[in-house]
Amino acid sequence: MLKIILADNQAIFRAGIAKVLAVEDHVRIVAQAQSVEQAMIAVEKFRGSVMIYASSFLPDTERIAALARESGIQLVVIAENSELPDRYLNAGILGLIFRSVDAVELLKCVRKVSVGEVYLQDLRAVPHNAETDDFVGARVRDRLTPKELKIVALIVQGFKNKEIANLLGTTEQVVKNYLRNVYDKIGVSDRLELALFTIHHRILAEAAAASAATMRAMPIPVNPGSTQ
């Protein structure tokens, strides 16, 4: 049985990775960590595992790599598309994948790393010109209103409908109305699929994050379908 530790401060992203790995009979998620402290505890407790962690979540790569070696744990880092693999390879990390990794490549990486092999996602396969290479992401971005992008960003960050409503000064029902519109425009059925779609399409994720950073919290009209 291959034991997996997931370490990332984005709950929905962890849920997405867990959903992908859950279909494998020989894979078991033994721990999920949303903080550095939780990750360190998991590393010491679940020896002989593979830990998948986000590069932004554990900046002290050398320290976690050293502890992982002592515990017999292999590491897979989820890097941002702009990052180079050198710092991770120099620390002894065997696996490197990017945020846009698909399920097939994720599983391939975990299998290789679990037996001590190095697996690096090909950097050349990651789009560098998002506007031209990610037509789907760009098209979805252009179909969403600024308010919808704001809600998408909050969903990706793991906020619940009630929390989003409080942040925007509106009601849960209005947020639900907006989410239905977003689901229809993107072609997803729930918030998990929405988060995974957004994370996979970097150009959409960046637009949502920018909208969340610049848009003031203000009441949203009751009928979101009329605000295009």
Side-chain angles (χ1 to χ4, degrees), residues 97-179:
I97 52 180
F98 295 96
R99 281 282 184 186
S100 56
V101 68
D102 59 28
V104 173
E105 188 143 27
L106 171 64
L107 289 168
K108 187 186 299 183
C109 177
V110 169
R111 292 190 186 105
K112 291 280 188 180
V113 168
S114 68
V115 295
E117 297 182 21
V118 174
Y119 188 92
L120 305 178
Q121 184 178 352
D122 188 355
L123 183 62
R124 294 170 298 179
V126 178
H128 293 283
N129 187 337
E131 192 72 33
T132 57
D133 293 335
D134 187 9
F135 173 76
V136 173
R139 184 175 181 182
V140 168
R141 175 202 61 190
D142 294 341
R143 293 186 67 192
L144 298 179
T145 68
K147 294 182 181 70
E148 289 168 343
L149 284 170
K150 169 78 171 181
I151 292 176
V152 169
L154 294 173
I155 291 292
V156 171
Q157 293 174 42
F159 285 91
K160 306 298 184 184
N161 288 353
K162 183 176 181 179
E163 295 171 324
I164 295 173
N166 289 337
L167 287 170
L168 300 179
T170 187
T171 66
E172 286 187 71
Q173 186 56 53
V174 171
V175 172
K176 290 178 181 178
N177 292 343
Y178 261 91
L179 277 175

